[in-house]
Amino acid sequence: MTLIEDAKKGKKPPEVETVARREGVDPDKLARLVARGRAVIPRNLRREIDPIGIGETLTTKVNLNLGSSRGLADPGAEVEKAVVAMEAGADTVMDLSTGGDIDEIRRRVLDAVAIPVGTVPIYQAEVAGDLTSQGLFDALVQQAKDGVDFVTVHVGVNLNSLERLKASHRIMGVVSRGGSLTLKYMSETGEDNPYYAEFDHLLDIAREHELTLSLGDGLRPGCIEDASDRAKYMEFIMLGELVDRARRAGVQAMVEGPGHVPADEIETSVKAMKYVTDGAPVYLLGPIVTDVAPGYDHITAAIGGVIAGMSGADFLCATTPSEHLDLPTKEDIFEGTVVTRIAAHACDLTKPGVRERARHWDRKMAVARRDLDWPAQFDLAINPAIARKIRHRRGVDVETCTMCDELCAIRLAKEAMDREEMKEEEKKRKKIETNKRTKEIEG
Ligand code: SF4
């Protein structure tokens, strides 16, 4: 029995209980959401992990992508990135390695972190020089046996969507690596995407290994001009049909979304994904809201992430400052993870069912700021180290801070309000005294 099948039978598997307790959600309600496929808990039983839930009524989660490339393939560096991402608060990591001994990298990453790990099996088939139907399924089984918790499969890229793509007027064409490898397979063999054509076989494997499927958006737009074309929406519709099949087969599934999208098109995009997938958890890459900010794409993606989260997205993939430019360093990984966590929390502050819990954190920070309680402010900061470093970088030790110094608005206002309170107290004291004297005279 898979998790979704247990939940369909009204059971509450331990993972559901754990996630419900951590998130402050009723376990029966969460079990019902898992049964309907509106929340997923990716976990491969081969590995001990701290399970996390993604979807309706749950906090917005953050994934961090790492992985080698052909030119930069240092397993130790990728493991270090996984640990840095976890320490920075990532809920999951994906190993997207395509260079060096990718089996070693994957296994070491799986050993190094106690959070769910995702992969993209088509990369392994390509690296192994076996971009065939058998090679694709072998890679999937191998990664499942290694203990991977969720996999991206670009099932929306197939002969159907290829026709839409040919008829489109995209500037950037296909920018998804998995999507482009699938296109390569189809154009070289003349056959359909094996993961799509043999989706039932894929579901059998996922079911056997309790793999959660992340149905990839291989046709995601690579620039804002391409954001809302027919190819993309055609892919959403197909992913919705495949989500239905996954649920019927007892396999957990989420759907991936774009990409590069101007701010005013994000809500439509996310709502369309939710609608055509009957509320499947939505996993977003970005969305990056402008194409002109290389070096700052962790910020362009965070802006899009907030709008997407407010529109219903459940899971944000961190973008790092090196997006579009270079393989990320561990410093980029840390920065990208923290900035995406800020976006996720900003979403949570507005989400029904989540916002009260999320706002508790901000309320505590507001009290610490009001009280000029610096240690508490550092403890509550999303990145205490950077807050502490900036506060102390000039070596000045004042009760307020060097921004307004003696004109600290918080302190001046507090002193003024304290003075007003004393005046009120004095007024009350005088009134009581006058009343007392009047009674004495009358007596
Ligand atoms: S000095 Fe200004 S910025 Fe600093 S704590 Fe006071 S009000 Fe805030």
Side-chain angles (χ1 to χ4, degrees):
M1 297 285 276
T2 63
L3 192 76
I4 201 168
E5 286 168 340
D6 273 345
K8 275 182 187 170
K9 286 197 178 300
K11 295 183 187 166
K12 278 177 287 178
E15 294 82 358
V16 169
E17 299 270 13
T18 304
V19 170
R21 199 177 317 115
R22 187 183 318 119
E23 301 245 2
V25 174
D26 173 27
D28 290 310
K29 183 177 180 185
L30 182 57
R32 284 195 297 275
L33 290 169
V34 169
R36 289 185 68 189
R38 292 189 165 210
V40 295
I41 304 179
R43 59 90 161 105
N44 184 322
L45 294 174
R46 286 178 174 78
R47 220 160 54 90
E48 280 291 315
I49 58 162
D50 198 12
I52 57 121
I54 303 164
E56 212 172 295
T57 79
L58 301 172
T59 52
T60 309
K61 302 300 182 305
V62 170
N63 172 73
L64 186 284
N65 287 343
L66 53 94
S68 63
S69 63
R70 292 279 159 94
L72 292 168
D74 174 356
E78 298 312 319
V79 171
E80 208 179 343
K81 288 179 197 172
V83 173
V84 164
M86 195 173 71
E87 287 172 355
D91 298 290
T92 67
V93 292
M94 288 191 79
D95 173 18
L96 309 186
S97 290
T98 54
D101 186 344
I102 68 166
D103 288 334
E104 182 197 346
I105 297 173
R106 180 174 58 256
R107 288 167 191 157
R108 285 181 60 182
V109 167
L110 285 163
D111 280 346
V113 296
I115 54 178
V117 174
T119 53
V120 184
I122 194 172
Y123 297 170
Q124 186 175 3
E126 167 66 14
V127 169
D130 194 12
L131 195 60
T132 61
S133 177
Q134 188 62 46
L136 284 164
F137 284 106
D138 286 349
L140 184 69
V141 171
Q142 180 60 65
Q143 300 195 354
K145 284 184 174 170
D146 281 350
V148 162
D149 303 282
F150 62 103
V151 288
T152 294
V153 282
H154 298 85
V155 279
V157 181
N158 50 47
L159 294 177
N160 266 332
S161 53
L162 182 57
E163 290 310 309
R164 294 280 77 67
L165 189 64
K166 283 181 190 166
S168 78
H169 303 285
R170 286 189 169 196
I171 296 175
M172 293 288 292
V174 174
V175 295
S176 150
R177 192 160 53 183
S180 65
L181 287 171
T182 308
L183 277 181
K184 178 182 166 192
Y185 172 89
M186 293 193 300
S187 73
E188 283 177 359
T189 63
E191 292 169 9
D192 210 341
N193 174 358
Y195 286 154
Y196 177 72
E198 298 170 62
F199 192 63
D200 286 335
H201 181 37
L202 189 149
L203 289 175
D204 287 342
I205 295 168
R207 195 177 178 288
E208 184 185 342
H209 298 278
E210 189 65 88
L211 265 181
T212 296
L213 299 180
S214 186
L215 305 183
D217 59 334
L219 299 184
R220 69 171 174 269
C223 63
I224 61 167
E225 276 299 302
D226 294 346
S228 298
D229 67 355
R230 290 174 189 144
K232 188 186 86 165
Y233 278 91
M234 167 101 180
E235 188 175 39
F236 285 169
I237 291 166
M238 280 188 294
L239 296 185
E241 291 168 358
L242 298 172
V243 164
D244 282 349
R245 286 169 65 183
R247 287 172 178 166
R248 281 199 296 272
V251 172
Q252 299 191 93
M254 50 192 170
V255 288
E256 296 181 12
H260 291 234
V261 187
D264 62 335
E265 293 175 28
I266 293 173
E267 184 180 354
T268 308
S269 198
V270 173
K271 288 192 168 159
M273 288 175 78
K274 280 282 182 187
Y275 192 76
V276 300
T277 63
D278 187 24
V282 166
Y283 175 21
L284 284 189
L285 316 169
I288 284 171
V289 293
T290 170
D291 300 325
V292 301
Y296 295 94
D297 275 329
H298 53 318
I299 294 169
T300 61
I303 294 167
V306 175
I307 301 168
M310 289 174 67
S311 311
D314 307 282
F315 192 20
L316 303 180
C317 188
T319 303
T320 75
S322 55
E323 183 77 11
H324 302 113
L325 299 170
D326 190 26
L327 193 75
T329 62
K330 65 179 183 193
E331 290 78 16
D332 295 332
I333 295 280
F334 186 86
E335 189 70 8
T337 305
V338 172
V339 169
T340 311
R341 280 189 59 216
I342 297 168
H345 179 63
C347 299
D348 290 344
L349 292 172
T350 71
K351 269 190 181 177
V354 168
R355 64 182 159 219
E356 273 316 305
R357 279 172 279 141
R359 286 187 183 197
H360 185 61
W361 184 6
D362 290 61
R363 265 195 296 273
K364 286 201 286 187
M365 179 61 101
V367 170
R369 286 219 170 106
R370 179 199 65 192
D371 296 344
L372 293 171
D373 181 346
W374 297 100
Q377 288 182 56
F378 297 145
D379 286 347
L380 289 163
I382 201 158
N383 180 359
I386 192 76
R388 213 173 270 121
K389 183 175 161 195
I390 291 173
R391 164 115 178 116
H392 296 305
R393 67 186 168 192
R394 293 177 208 273
V396 180
D397 189 17
V398 287
E399 186 209 357
T400 59
C401 80
T402 50
M403 180 82 176
C404 340
D405 217 327
E406 299 205 340
L407 295 181
C408 173
I410 292 171
R411 194 175 65 182
L412 291 180
K414 186 173 182 304
E415 286 169 356
M417 294 310 282
D418 287 350
R419 210 175 294 123
E420 288 302 306
E421 207 177 304
M422 277 168 63
K423 280 193 215 163
E424 285 299 316
E425 288 298 317
E426 184 61 15
K427 253 195 235 168
K428 273 191 214 156
R429 195 187 60 72
K430 280 190 179 153
K431 196 171 171 190
I432 292 168
E433 222 167 76
T434 310
N435 286 347
K436 200 173 151 197
R437 258 192 236 140
T438 310
K439 274 186 189 162
E440 279 169 9
I441 294 165
E442 285 173 357

